[in-house]
Structures are given as C-alpha cells and as structure tokens.
Amino acid sequence: MGIGAAAGVAAAGGVALTAQASGDTSASSSSASGSLVFDPDAYTELTTTVTDTEGTDHEVTYHFWKAITYVAKPVDAAYQSLNVSVPVTIDGTAVDASDAPILFANSVGGYMPSSVANATGIGGGGTGGGMVGGTPSGAPSSSASAAATAPGANGDTNATGGALSTNQLLALAAGYVVVEPGARGRTLKNSAGEYYGVAPAAIVDLKAAVRYVRANKGRIPGNTDRIVSAGTSAGGALSSLLGASGDSPLYDEYLEEIGAADASDAIFATGAWCPITDLEHADGAYEWNWGSNAAGSGSKVDRTVSKELRAQFAEYQASLKLEGLNGFGTLNARNYDEYLVKQYLEPSATTYLAALPDSERATYLAANTFITWKNGRASFSWADFLTHVGARKKTAPAFDAFDLSTGENNLFGKGTTVSRHFTAYSLKNDTTGLTSKRPDSDIPELLRLMNPMCFLVEKANPNRTKHWWIRLGAKDSDTSHTVSANLAAAAHTLGDDVSHLYYWDQGHGANTDAGDFIEWIAKVTGHRTRTRK
C-alpha cells in the first residue's frame, strides 16, 4: 500500500539513496560548548532519490544537521549525538515540515553502541551495533575501546537497525522530519577498563535525545508533540521502553548526570519491530515457545532446564492477568498457543497466501501441506507451525546464560565486570565459578529501568504513548512470540491504540509493510503534508 492518500505525497518504500551536498553550510555540534540550543542554520542541503512501494522514484531535497551532541555533559559525544533531516522539496514541490510528525529512529541492535558520527545523509553512513562480539560502531572517543572480549548476543544481531533505513527514507519522502539518535551500548569500555554503555545507558541516552528535541521546539522543524519512535530488535525494545516510560522520574538521576535538557521525554507513538525485551522473563518465554524445537548448528538443549524455565513462564504469565485482543480472555501458558495461532499466525498466513497468484499459492500449499486452505483462509495447528519454523536460534537459557556468554549478560555488566547474571535461576546454575546466592542488589532496579512491561502492568504510566505499532516475523526465533504479544496485550488492556501483526515466513528484523507504517503515522497524528506557496 502506498502512503500517498494519507500523507499527501507518494509512498516511499525503497532503499535507493543517492545524496549529494548542494549547500556550503557545514553541519556542526550545537553543544560543543555545553549549549543545548539547536542552530537552525547549521545544515547541509542534500538531495536523495527514494523509490516508493509502487516502484516510482521521488526526488527529495532536504536539510541535514549532522552529529549534534544532545547532552551538556556527554560521556562519549560520538554516541550521544543525533542527526536531523528535514524535507524542503519533494518532486520539485516545496513542502512545509514545520508542523510535521517527527520520526525518531534509533539503529540499536544487540544492545550494542550506535553512532551517527559518520553519516553522510539520512540512512546513509550511520552505523548501528549488533555484530557478535564485534567492534562498536561509529567514531568513539579516544578513551573508548572495542570490548573484544565482550560476549555476543546469542545470535541476536541486527547490525544496521534492520527495518529502519527504509522507514527513514519513507518518512522523509512523506514530508516528515527524521531524527536519528545515537546511543551508548554494552561493549564500550574506557581506558580504565570500565564498561560505560551497559544498562541503563542506552535508554537514558534516547530519553536525553527526546528531551533535546522537545527543548528545541520552534528551532528544530516538526511537531515536538508528535514524536514517533522506531527501532528493531534491541532497538525495538528500546523504542517500546521509550514509549512506555515517558517522563518517569526513575530516570531523573541518570539524565541529570549527563546534562540532559530540562524537558519532557514523553513521545506520541511507538514503532517496534521484533523487540528483544522483558529480559528477566525472556528465558522462560523462549522455552515455552521454542522448547520443543531442536537448536541449530548441532547445539543440544538441556530438556530439564527447558522444562524448568517453561514452568517459570507459566507462573509469570498468570501473574500478568492480561486479556488477549478481540475478546480472547485471560492469557495463560495453557491457551497462549491457541491465541497466537488464531490472533496472529493464521491471519498472517492468510494475508500472505491471498496475495499470491493462484498458481504460486497452489505451489506453496503443495509444499506446505500442514496448512488447510478453505474459503480463502489458512488454518493449522501450533505443533505443525513449530515444525514449519524448524530449528530454534538459541540454546537454553537463551538470554541469561549459565556461562555468562550472551550479550544480555554483558548488558548488565558493571564497572570492570564484563557480564553478570540477572536472574536467580541462572545464577544458581552458574558454570563460571560464582558462589553468590542471589543477583547483585542493583539488578532489580536495572531490570525495571529496561523493561517496558513495568510501566504498563505493574503501574500504568500516565505519560506513556497511547499508540503502538508492533511487528514480528513469524519465523523469528531470536525471541519468543509471547514477548511482543504480551506488550500488545498490556497496551490494549490499558485502552491504548494497538496495531500488531506477524509477517508470515519472515525472520528477525523483517519489515514488509513500511508504507503502511508511514500511513499509520499520518493517521494517528492527524497530519497532512503541507506545501509552500
């Protein structure tokens, strides 16, 4: 679907990007001297070609502000900076973006650091984390080093922010303002060997970036009351958390420490693709979902561990008391498979198959006989769906590994300690020689700061976003399907507007309806692109 009807401009869904500078004004950091005042004149004018969802090219000229430090006391400005892109003409027609929605698109993957310092334009040259045990992206400060010994993310990688480069180009061609924030990540280490991007650094940075944008209302073009976040994988988790925790005082101390602007960090809407979140319960959720599937690469899964973790999930799910969408009733470990099949998976398969030409549909159904196709609808069992997906991506536990080997273990590192356990179960079963009986005393608060569910279920945050766009690939076994479904159910239970669906036969980081996302932004914000006369 195109975005023309909703946004007033043709849809933009491609990733073609050919930008060249046409101005003589260079971008600069507005806060090089500690100021948090955005300089409206410090932009470069660029032109890019964007291919829309219908295959049509559109020429967009935009103003580009590069690597603006968004805090007064940065720990590492190479990561604590943002880019701003504002369209000025689309296909030769001047547009007025002064009141346009602001797409706030982070490129975090694997809870790794993300920098915009090397960007050459919107979606071009900026780098997100996500390499397993790799080098932090961007241009770190002289005191930073790549933590080569930091754990990977147990297969949870998303090196470029996945869906987001398409979303950013789409948004620009629709006449929206695009803000691309960098953020610290778990592998950053200073000369003293201290990890300075572990939890909760990434969410604190993104909140600080939102505060910078809102504090510069009237200087940064766009409607600062209509900020829509977007992120994929760990970036999707952070996007969800940003929306759920708006203006929570729990982060004030951290924000003051880095000199964040004195402004709101609440956002209007959240876009989250395959969010890797609710980490303290993620191991149990993963085993409930994928416990019967053999692991890939010849890895073996301890069935006793899997069974014990599934029991943990059952207890946790019952405690949530969440109601499924469309009047399904209370979700629990016994009925969640039915819920996923009826609410998400069969509709996903139906949409996919209905869009195929008759001959291609017949070929697909012949190769996937577990699907019953009747009266234009697909049906199948949960067990057959699991067989269709095949090998699971991760071993057990998937997130808090007994040997402290995952990226999530590194996320909860502290000081010079590269990794820590964040669940009592994994600490009890530790294989590295630890003798502690319970996680460190600061872990519970860090988990709260990193989990959007805490702001939706424990006590509803009144300043949360009220609009949610959540997507997941049906074959994504980087996380449990219940994670995004619980997030959607929690928001729905509170009366929020929720758009949540799964992409059939797609894996981690998929984004097959980017044009629809741009239309959704126009719908929920009430925006119509304005042209200049």
Side-chain angles (χ1 to χ4, degrees):
M1 181 181 294
I3 60 175
V9 184
V15 296
L17 178 63
T18 55
Q20 63 276 351
S22 59
D24 57 5
T25 306
S26 61
S28 64
S29 170
S30 68
S31 55
S33 61
S35 170
L36 293 180
V37 178
F38 179 82
D39 183 354
D41 298 321
Y43 62 82
T44 300
E45 187 168 283
L46 302 173
T47 298
T48 183
T49 299
V50 180
T51 304
D52 68 24
T53 54
E54 298 174 354
T56 302
D57 289 342
H58 300 277
E59 184 177 85
V60 182
T61 297
Y62 65 103
H63 291 167
F64 179 67
W65 288 260
K66 178 179 177 179
I68 302 167
T69 306
Y70 52 70
V71 289
K73 296 181 288 185
V75 177
D76 193 334
Y79 300 98
Q80 294 170 301
S81 60
L82 56 79
N83 293 343
V84 178
S85 299
V86 179
V88 292
T89 66
I90 301 174
D91 291 334
T93 300
V95 296
D96 179 5
S98 60
D99 195 43
I102 298 173
L103 179 64
F104 187 85
N106 83 72
S107 294
V108 175
Y111 287 102
M112 298 281 279
S114 174
S115 175
V116 299
N118 294 331
T120 56
I122 185 170
T127 49
M131 298 163 286
V132 177
T135 302
S137 55
S141 68
S142 58
S143 64
S145 68
T149 57
N154 200 0
D156 170 26
T157 58
N158 185 42
T160 62
L164 296 178
S165 60
T166 299
N167 289 342
Q168 289 152 287
L169 292 168
L170 279 158
L172 190 73
Y176 304 166
V177 173
V178 178
V179 173
E180 300 167 291
R184 290 169 291 164
R186 60 181 174 81
T187 58
L188 291 175
K189 183 169 65 173
N190 63 23
S191 58
E194 299 166 326
Y195 289 88
Y196 61 89
V198 293
I203 185 60
V204 171
D205 284 353
L206 294 182
K207 281 178 170 289
V210 171
R211 288 188 173 202
Y212 176 86
V213 172
R214 297 194 67 145
N216 281 282
K217 179 179 181 178
R219 289 184 287 267
I220 294 179
N223 186 343
T224 57
D225 291 326
R226 293 294 182 268
I227 297 174
V228 181
S229 70
T232 299
S233 190
L238 291 168
S239 180
S240 302
L241 182 56
L242 194 63
S245 66
D247 290 338
S248 170
L250 295 178
Y251 302 89
D252 286 351
E253 178 183 351
Y254 299 95
L255 289 162
E256 290 172 6
E257 184 178 359
I258 59 175
D262 184 13
S264 170
D265 55 62
I267 61 172
F268 184 77
T270 286
W273 285 258
C274 50
I276 302 290
T277 193
D278 200 2
L279 296 177
E280 60 266 49
H281 306 107
D283 289 328
Y286 195 90
E287 293 311 313
W288 177 90
N289 197 146
W290 305 113
S292 63
N293 289 43
S297 304
S299 301
K300 293 184 178 180
V301 175
D302 187 316
R303 294 302 171 187
T304 299
V305 170
S306 182
K307 181 179 179 181
E308 291 174 349
L309 288 170
R310 288 199 302 273
Q312 288 183 18
F313 170 77
E315 182 178 354
Y316 170 62
Q317 191 63 46
S319 73
L320 293 175
K321 298 181 173 62
L322 293 179
E323 298 294 316
L325 277 64
N326 295 323
F328 182 84
T330 304
L331 298 172
N332 57 54
R334 296 182 302 278
N335 65 18
Y336 220 131
D337 54 352
E338 177 189 355
Y339 176 66
L340 290 173
V341 168
K342 298 301 181 185
Q343 175 64 31
Y344 296 113
L345 297 172
E346 287 181 345
S348 174
T350 296
T351 298
Y352 173 80
L353 289 166
L356 293 178
D358 291 346
S359 60
E360 292 184 24
R361 185 186 313 114
T363 299
Y364 185 92
L365 290 170
N368 295 276
T369 55
F370 74 96
I371 298 176
T372 298
W373 182 254
K374 184 177 181 181
N375 298 326
R377 294 181 180 275
S379 61
F380 46 83
S381 71
W382 173 249
D384 284 340
F385 167 73
L386 293 179
T387 300
H388 175 64
V389 173
R392 54 189 273 170
K393 185 74 170 288
K394 301 179 179 181
T395 55
F399 298 93
D400 189 356
F402 295 158
D403 63 358
L404 293 170
S405 62
T406 73
E408 289 76 19
N409 289 129
N410 180 210
L411 176 64
F412 292 100
K414 182 179 182 181
T416 58
T417 301
V418 60
S419 297
R420 292 190 295 170
H421 288 298
F422 51 91
T423 66
Y425 179 81
S426 288
L427 181 58
K428 176 183 176 182
N429 291 280
D430 173 79
T431 58
T432 70
L434 296 177
T435 58
S436 300
K437 300 300 182 184
R438 63 183 62 183
D440 291 345
S441 60
D442 63 321
I443 289 293
E445 183 62 16
L446 290 176
L447 289 168
R448 180 176 176 81
L449 292 171
M450 297 301 295
N451 192 349
M453 295 296 286
C454 295
F455 300 92
L456 300 174
V457 177
E458 290 184 10
K459 183 178 181 181
N461 175 23
N463 294 324
R464 70 186 184 278
T465 177
K466 306 303 191 298
H467 304 278
W468 300 83
W469 173 281
I470 306 170
R471 295 293 187 266
L472 184 75
K475 281 192 169 183
D476 184 354
S477 64
D478 279 60
T479 184
S480 170
H481 285 8
T482 64
V483 172
S484 64
N486 270 350
L487 188 64
H492 175 74
T493 299
L494 294 175
D496 295 350
D497 165 44
V498 178
S499 174
H500 183 212
L501 59 79
Y502 292 13
Y503 304 127
W504 185 250
D505 274 356
Q506 297 295 307
H508 195 59
N511 179 17
T512 67
D513 59 350
D516 292 342
F517 176 57
I518 302 304
E519 287 190 350
W520 179 79
I521 292 175
K523 177 183 177 182
V524 298
T525 62
H527 175 72
R528 292 185 63 84
T529 299
R530 295 187 296 175
T531 58
R532 292 187 184 274
K533 297 181 179 179

